[in-house]
């Protein structure tokens, strides 16, 4: 059931703005941006239904051509809601809104601190993808803002039309606390990975030192082999140069042996 109270719809619009700001912050932190997409989509649908209910209520006025001051104020509120709904829908789908300040301007001044905290990190531009681009044309009953999900049985958020302004505010605070806890756990995980990377780096340094020592030993033995090879080459060259003298010496030795044997 959609809310038909303009003030409640303005608060719902503020809730959507805060959710979109948190979504942009998640994108800037390289986190999955679609964790809250289904909730934002349902909130947009509720806002659209509420605006339609307000327009239906205005169409039943006795004299719409001569509205009272209260009716004029009512019509102005509906116009503002429609403008904000259009900008928020464009922002959610990754398009440029008509009024960029819509996302950062709360309707309720009491939420200014929440908007300042959510806007503290500069968001990055995002582009949303879907596994089935033609899903939006599947039928009028399909939610045109809902992204693809492997598990459609995620927990449903409460119907904001049944909540008071304070309850909606408390619910959004709880969502922010859960997101902060997730970011804290992510930071701890990154810290552990950093420590592990440092340990791996130290081990690699130790292995590099061992390899340097092996290289030094190989170079030393290679020098010894080079010197031995040089000595053999020198001996072979000298033997080749004095081969005739070597033959004469061998013949003399053989002759002496023959003389000794024949005596």
């Amino acid at each position: 059931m959609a809310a038909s109270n303009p003030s409640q719809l303005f608060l719902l619009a503020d809730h959507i703005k805060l959710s979109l700001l948190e979504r942009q912050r998640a994108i800037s932190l390289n986190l999955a941006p679609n964790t809250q997409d289904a909730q934002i989509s349902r909130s947009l649908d509720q806002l659209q239904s509420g605006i339609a209910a307000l327009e239906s209520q205005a169409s039943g006025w006795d004299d719409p051509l001569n509205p009272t001051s209260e009716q004029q104020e009512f019509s102005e509120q509906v116009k503002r809601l429609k403008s904000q709904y259009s900008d928020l829908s464009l922002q959610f789908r990754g398009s440029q809104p008509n009024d960029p300040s819509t996302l950062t301007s709360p309707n309720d001044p009491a939420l200014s601190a929440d908007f300042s905290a959510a806007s503290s990190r500069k968001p990055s531009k995002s582009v949303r993808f879907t596994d089935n681009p033609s899903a939006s044309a599947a039928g009028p009953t399909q939610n045109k803002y809902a992204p693809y999900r492997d598990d459609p049985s995620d927990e449903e958020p409460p119907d904001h039309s049944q909540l008071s302004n304070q309850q909606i505010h408390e619910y959004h605070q709880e969502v922010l606390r859960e997101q902060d806890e997730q970011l804290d756990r992510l930071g701890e995980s990154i810290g552990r990975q950093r420590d592990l990377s440092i340990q791996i780096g130290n081990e690699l340094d130790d292995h590099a030192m061992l390899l340097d020592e092996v290289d030094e030993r190989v170079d030393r033995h290679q020098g010894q082999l080079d010197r031995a090879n040089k000595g053999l080459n020198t001996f072979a060259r000298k033997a080749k140069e004095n081969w005739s003298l070597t033959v004469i010496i061998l013949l003399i030795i053989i002759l002496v042996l023959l003389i000794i044997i024949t005596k």
Side-chain angles (χ1 to χ4, degrees):
M1 179 178 178
S4 57
N5 187 342
S7 61
Q8 197 169 10
L9 290 180
F10 277 121
L11 188 59
L12 176 58
D14 283 343
H15 170 73
I16 297 173
K17 294 176 185 179
L18 287 170
S19 297
L20 288 174
L21 288 173
E22 287 298 322
R23 182 176 181 271
Q24 288 183 343
R25 186 173 71 170
I27 294 175
S28 68
L29 295 175
N30 295 326
L31 301 178
N34 61 347
T35 55
Q36 298 293 331
D37 281 4
Q39 173 190 333
I40 296 174
S41 175
R42 284 187 287 267
S43 297
L44 284 170
D45 287 342
Q46 291 177 5
L47 180 59
Q48 184 183 30
S49 299
I51 294 173
L54 294 180
E55 291 178 332
S56 177
Q57 181 179 345
S59 64
W61 290 342
D62 295 336
D63 190 2
L65 298 179
N66 296 306
T68 63
S69 59
E70 293 180 355
Q71 291 174 342
Q72 289 179 352
E73 182 180 359
F74 184 88
S75 298
E76 185 64 27
Q77 289 177 336
V78 173
K79 183 178 179 181
R80 287 175 54 200
L81 285 169
K82 291 177 65 176
S83 176
Q84 291 189 21
Y85 169 77
S86 176
D87 288 339
L88 295 177
S89 298
L90 291 172
Q91 180 71 34
F92 178 61
R93 287 178 290 182
S95 302
Q96 184 67 25
N98 298 323
D99 185 4
S101 64
T102 299
L103 187 61
T104 56
S105 302
N107 296 306
D108 186 358
L111 299 177
S112 298
D114 294 332
F115 272 75
S116 298
S119 304
S120 60
R121 188 180 296 274
K122 184 178 179 181
S124 59
K125 187 175 181 181
S126 63
V127 179
R128 299 177 67 249
F129 296 93
T130 177
D131 290 346
N132 186 6
S134 61
S136 59
T141 59
Q142 185 171 357
N143 191 338
K144 62 182 178 180
Y145 299 112
Y148 171 81
R149 283 185 177 275
D150 291 334
D151 185 8
S153 60
D154 292 340
E155 181 181 357
E156 294 286 336
D159 186 357
H160 293 86
S161 63
Q162 306 298 327
L163 302 179
S164 64
N165 294 350
Q166 182 64 26
Q167 289 174 328
I168 293 177
H169 180 66
E170 291 176 354
Y171 172 74
H172 182 71
Q173 291 296 324
E174 180 64 24
V175 172
L176 292 180
R177 282 193 294 270
E178 291 178 357
Q179 292 179 348
D180 289 339
E181 291 176 358
Q182 293 176 359
L183 292 176
D184 291 339
R185 289 195 295 270
L186 177 62
E188 293 174 358
S189 176
I190 293 175
R192 290 192 296 269
Q193 292 179 359
R194 175 180 176 275
D195 294 338
L196 181 60
S197 299
I198 292 175
Q199 293 178 1
I200 294 175
N202 293 335
E203 292 182 1
L204 290 176
D205 292 338
D206 294 339
H207 287 295
M209 293 177 61
L210 292 175
L211 290 175
D212 291 339
E213 293 179 0
V214 172
D215 288 339
E216 292 178 358
R217 293 180 181 178
V218 170
D219 292 339
R220 185 166 58 252
H221 290 296
Q222 184 65 39
Q224 294 176 354
L225 290 175
D226 291 340
R227 287 192 296 272
N229 189 34
K230 183 178 180 180
L232 290 174
N233 291 333
T234 301
F235 176 78
R237 185 178 65 257
K238 290 182 178 180
K240 185 176 181 180
E241 292 175 353
N242 301 319
W243 67 273
S244 58
L245 179 61
T246 303
V247 171
I248 293 173
I249 293 173
L250 289 175
L251 291 175
I252 292 173
I253 293 173
I254 294 172
L255 181 59
V256 170
L257 291 175
L258 290 175
I259 293 173
I260 294 173
I261 293 172
T262 56
K263 281 185 177 182

